[in-house]
Every structure is written in structure tokens, then in C-alpha cells.
Amino acid sequence: MRKIFTAAIIAVSMLFASNANAQVKFGLKGGLNVTSMSLNSELLDASNNQGFFIGPTVKFTLPIVGLGVDASALYDQREAKLQEVENTKSGKLKTQSINIPINLRYGIGLGSIANAFLFAGPQFGFNIGNKNQSLYDDVAEWRLSKSNFSVNVGLGFTLMSHLQLSANYNIACGKTGNFTILDTANTIGKELVGSKGRANAWQVALAYYF
């Protein structure tokens, strides 16, 4: 993961170092996400994850018509409800992370007032919250991965060269964490049932570039 992240940063830096005419704008970005969590277990139901993200962002416009790159460092907080099917017990899972999306974008000008753009790129996430969380009165545990990798695909609009509204789908490229719970069907009550979780998310963001 670190090697991929380092390679992406170096590639972006070399790209813009070779284009002295590139325009750079800094801004602030924030938004909401709704995450759909899937578990490979019939014992659990997961509700949609809801949360928010906020952080600084930077946009590079290349001297090639319509082409650009944006990158952000976003604090991301989410909560999800996990439900055990057999015993109807429920627990709440909270995640906190720093996400770094790097998107290649292609814009279509609509005059000086507005333009539309498509974007796609990798996102690198680093968990900064509690990685091991107890649920269901300490009979279950959710172990979050230290880092994760995902891909963004979306579209957006820019108004007056400063205000930007975008929507994207974030596709997880690996497990988000592992969930372990006591098998209530076992008479001894000591057998553990494990489940891997993966989270994809719809995200809506508003950014302002200075």
C-alpha cells in the first residue's frame, strides 16, 4: 500500500513539474457519504453507513484542453449498525480515517460561468480511530484494517471557477475489516464465526477553491 501511494505521489509530482503552465488552486472540500457494507456471513445484517468528510484540496489544470488532476486529504467519519440475525442483538460500528483521493479529471467548458467534468482515480485510506471495537456486550469484535485502497468514479460541476459540486461512487478494492462473533447455535458456546466486510460508498461533495 505504501509503495503504491508513494509511486502515485511521485507520478503526479513529475507530471506537474514538467508542465510549468499548469494552473494550481487550493480549496476546502466537505461532504456526505452513504456506505453500503457487505459481509460474507448469514449471521449478520449491516445497515447503510452514514457519515461525513472534510479537508483541504488542491486542483491542477493542465495546459491540455479539459485535462486536470485534483487531490485531497480528508478526515472521514462513519457509523454503521450491525444486527445479529438469530438473537436480534445490534451494535454500532464507528470508523475514523484519513482518505487521500487522487483523481484525473476531464472537463467540458460551458462558458466562463460553469463547466462539467468527469473524474476517476485511486483513493488511499488510513485508519486513525479505534481499530478493535467490541460489540454485543463484548461477545463480538470488529477489527478494522490499518489501511485500505479504493477507486473513485464520478462527475461534477464547477461554477464561477470557485464553487464545485460533485458526486461519485467509491469502490473498495479489498476488505475493510474482520468481524468475529460467538456461534450461538453451538452448545458449548466457544466456537468463533468470522466474517469479512467490504464497504462501497456513494459520496456527494461541495468544494470551494480560492
Side-chain angles (χ1 to χ4, degrees), residues 30-97:
L32 303 174
N33 52 47
V34 177
T35 304
S36 177
M37 180 176 291
S38 60
L39 301 170
N40 64 339
S41 173
E42 296 180 356
L43 296 176
L44 302 170
D45 286 331
S47 300
N48 284 338
N49 232 344
Q50 297 181 355
F52 68 92
F53 54 90
I54 189 170
T57 184
V58 58
K59 178 172 64 174
F60 302 88
T61 302
L62 301 179
I64 302 175
V65 177
L67 194 62
V69 174
D70 65 63
S72 306
L74 306 173
Y75 169 77
D76 189 300
Q77 180 175 305
R78 310 181 188 186
E79 289 187 356
K81 183 179 180 181
L82 298 178
Q83 186 86 21
E84 186 191 2
V85 175
E86 292 185 1
N87 290 342
T88 66
K89 292 182 180 180
S90 63
K92 183 175 290 186
L93 172 67
K94 181 178 180 180
T95 64
Q96 300 177 76
S97 60

Side-chain angles (χ1 to χ4, degrees), residues 96-113:
Q96 300 177 76
S97 60
I98 297 296
N99 291 333
I100 303 176
I102 303 174
N103 297 311
L104 179 67
R105 46 196 288 162
Y106 180 76
I108 302 173
L110 303 176
S112 60
I113 298 178

Side-chain angles (χ1 to χ4, degrees), residues 52-209:
F52 68 92
F53 54 90
I54 189 170
T57 184
V58 58
K59 178 172 64 174
F60 302 88
T61 302
L62 301 179
I64 302 175
V65 177
L67 194 62
V69 174
D70 65 63
S72 306
L74 306 173
Y75 169 77
D76 189 300
Q77 180 175 305
R78 310 181 188 186
E79 289 187 356
K81 183 179 180 181
L82 298 178
Q83 186 86 21
E84 186 191 2
V85 175
E86 292 185 1
N87 290 342
T88 66
K89 292 182 180 180
S90 63
K92 183 175 290 186
L93 172 67
K94 181 178 180 180
T95 64
Q96 300 177 76
S97 60
I98 297 296
N99 291 333
I100 303 176
I102 303 174
N103 297 311
L104 179 67
R105 46 196 288 162
Y106 180 76
I108 302 173
L110 303 176
S112 60
I113 298 178
N115 77 323
F117 62 92
L118 303 174
F119 65 92
Q123 176 170 292
F124 307 89
F126 303 92
N127 186 5
I128 60 172
N130 186 1
K131 297 179 178 62
N132 299 325
Q133 301 183 30
S134 297
L135 300 169
Y136 308 151
D137 299 324
D138 296 330
V139 299
E141 185 179 55
W142 178 262
R143 297 179 181 178
L144 291 165
S145 301
K146 294 182 180 179
S147 61
N148 57 78
F149 176 76
S150 58
V151 175
N152 290 316
V153 178
L155 54 84
F157 297 92
T158 301
L159 302 174
M160 305 299 293
S161 300
H162 294 287
L163 192 63
Q164 175 181 291
L165 177 65
S166 63
N168 70 275
Y169 190 58
N170 178 255
I171 306 169
C173 298
K175 67 180 182 180
T176 304
N178 291 308
F179 184 85
T180 305
I181 187 172
L182 286 172
D183 185 359
T184 55
N186 187 286
T187 55
I188 300 177
K190 293 184 179 180
E191 183 178 346
L192 293 176
V193 175
S195 176
K196 296 179 181 179
R198 176 178 293 185
N200 298 329
W202 286 102
Q203 299 180 314
V204 178
L206 184 65
Y208 185 84
Y209 290 95

Side-chain angles (χ1 to χ4, degrees), residues 10-19 62 69 104:
I10 293 175
V12 172
S13 300
M14 292 178 63
L15 175 64
F16 296 113
S18 62
N19 289 276
L62 301 179
V69 174
L104 179 67

